[in-house]
Amino acid sequence: MNEASILLVDDEQAILQLLETVLRKEGFQSIDKVASAEAALAACEQKRYDLIVLDVTLPTMSGVEACPFIRRMTDAPILFLSARTTDFDKLTGFAVGGDDYVTKPFNPMEIVARIKSLLRRSQKSSVALASTSSGILHFGRFQVNEAAAELYVEGELVSCPTLVFQLLLFFCKNPNRIFSKSELYERVWGEHSIRDDNTIMVHIHRIRERIEPDPAQPEYLVNVRGIGYKLVKKEFMHEY
């Protein structure tokens, strides 16, 4: 994990220096620092990062505005930093492609813990996908290629960030079974101490945006009121 390449994006030099110092003390060596969204985009074009820490409030272009452009270049986990504390701001961060959200002021060791957690999840997903067979899971309108970590909808390859794909894959392997938010978090994320139900809701929304004909009226990934979520697999959806 300590070989991971990390990009820190913040316009406050004191925060950049603080994060770099604590990360290096924890053994991370490949750390780049930039002070604007434009510089972050340029860095992502030139180098593959394993994780990005992205400040929301940046000059010229905000982190929220930059995130979708970063997502086009990498599926690396993105941890937002922000002085904004409302649920709406957090959900916005998740909706544009973020994987975690920490408000300022923060304990630097909490940032380190969250970075390690995100890296573990991402690496666990990569290892699991690399070790699977070449089977394809068929669900009528869409198919999931587990070995290649690819999602096809109506025959077209659809981009799917690592953690979104990991959650979708879990549902595909457990069709017609209902899972609560806490069960999904424990089974897919594998973390207990920083569980946030909003994370599940946003990832469910991201999946629906990709696989449903109408995300507002889901046919595949449905909510069972008061219990949780399940991925519907009908009898005619054969695997072959």
Side-chain angles (χ1 to χ4, degrees), residues 50-64:
D50 297 298
L51 184 138
I52 299 167
V53 178
L54 180 62
D55 185 30
V56 169
T57 307
L58 294 169
T60 311
M61 178 187 293
S62 73
V64 170

Side-chain angles (χ1 to χ4, degrees), residues 150-180:
E150 293 176 341
L151 168 64
Y152 288 85
V153 180
E154 296 186 332
E156 297 291 329
L157 180 63
V158 176
S159 174
C160 197
T162 301
L163 293 176
V164 176
F165 185 86
Q166 189 176 1
L167 180 59
L168 174 58
L169 180 61
F170 176 79
F171 275 118
C172 289
K173 287 186 169 184
N174 297 277
N176 299 321
R177 290 182 56 187
I178 303 172
F179 294 94
S180 67

Side-chain angles (χ1 to χ4, degrees), residues 13-14 55 59 66 83 110 126 128 135 158 178 202 216 240:
Q13 290 299 320
D55 185 30
E110 179 187 0
S126 297
V158 176
I178 303 172
V202 169
Y240 32 124

Side-chain angles (χ1 to χ4, degrees), residues 94-129:
F94 287 128
V96 297
D99 296 285
D100 204 350
Y101 193 105
V102 176
T103 57
K104 298 179 180 178
F106 54 80
N107 182 328
M109 293 312 299
E110 179 187 0
I111 300 296
V112 172
R114 289 178 181 253
I115 285 174
K116 289 181 177 180
S117 176
L118 287 169
L119 288 172
R120 280 197 301 271
R121 298 177 202 167
S122 181
Q123 291 172 0
K124 183 190 299 182
S125 175
S126 297
V127 170
L129 291 171

Side-chain angles (χ1 to χ4, degrees):
M1 183 184 296
N2 288 2
E3 293 78 20
S5 181
I6 298 174
L7 176 64
L8 305 177
V9 188
D10 200 300
D11 61 334
E12 297 184 50
Q13 290 299 320
I15 289 180
L16 289 177
Q17 189 59 51
L18 173 63
L19 291 177
E20 181 182 24
T21 298
V22 295
L23 285 169
R24 291 195 182 281
K25 286 184 177 179
E26 291 296 312
F28 292 96
Q29 298 301 319
S30 181
I31 302 171
D32 292 338
K33 308 190 300 294
V34 295
S36 69
E38 293 82 356
L41 292 172
C44 289
E45 286 181 342
Q46 298 172 9
K47 183 175 178 179
R48 178 190 176 280
Y49 290 99
D50 297 298
L51 184 138
I52 299 167
V53 178
L54 180 62
D55 185 30
V56 169
T57 307
L58 294 169
T60 311
M61 178 187 293
S62 73
V64 170
E65 292 171 326
C67 190
F69 296 100
I70 293 175
R71 270 284 165 254
R72 295 177 186 176
M73 295 181 279
T74 178
D75 287 335
I78 295 175
L79 169 60
F80 274 117
L81 298 180
S82 177
R84 301 173 182 175
T85 60
T86 68
D87 287 341
F88 176 79
D89 291 316
K90 293 179 181 180
L91 287 173
T92 300
F94 287 128
V96 297
D99 296 285
D100 204 350
Y101 193 105
V102 176
T103 57
K104 298 179 180 178
F106 54 80
N107 182 328
M109 293 312 299
E110 179 187 0
I111 300 296
V112 172
R114 289 178 181 253
I115 285 174
K116 289 181 177 180
S117 176
L118 287 169
L119 288 172
R120 280 197 301 271
R121 298 177 202 167
S122 181
Q123 291 172 0
K124 183 190 299 182
S125 175
S126 297
V127 170
L129 291 171
S131 63
T132 58
S133 67
S134 59
I136 297 177
L137 304 174
H138 293 262
F139 283 79
R141 185 171 186 266
F142 70 94
Q143 297 80 42
V144 172
N145 186 327
E146 184 178 8
E150 293 176 341
L151 168 64
Y152 288 85
V153 180
E154 296 186 332
E156 297 291 329
L157 180 63
V158 176
S159 174
C160 197
T162 301
L163 293 176
V164 176
F165 185 86
Q166 189 176 1
L167 180 59
L168 174 58
L169 180 61
F170 176 79
F171 275 118
C172 289
K173 287 186 169 184
N174 297 277
N176 299 321
R177 290 182 56 187
I178 303 172
F179 294 94
S180 67
K181 292 177 183 177
S182 60
E183 287 176 323
L184 289 172
Y185 205 100
E186 292 170 9
R187 298 284 293 276
V188 179
W189 273 257
E191 300 291 334
H192 304 270
S193 60
I194 58 173
R195 184 173 69 225
D196 183 348
D197 287 349
N198 287 338
T199 301
I200 298 295
M201 294 171 61
V202 169
H203 281 69
I204 293 289
H205 179 69
R206 289 183 190 172
I207 291 174
R208 286 174 171 167
E209 285 182 321
R210 290 165 169 80
I211 69 172
E212 299 285 357
D214 180 3
Q217 301 291 330
E219 302 173 14
Y220 293 92
L221 187 49
V222 300
N223 179 280
V224 181
R225 188 177 298 276
I227 303 177
Y229 300 91
K230 72 174 179 178
L231 184 68
V232 176
K233 185 171 186 180
K234 300 177 182 179
E235 291 299 322
F236 63 82
M237 295 179 185
H238 299 295
E239 291 185 22
Y240 32 124

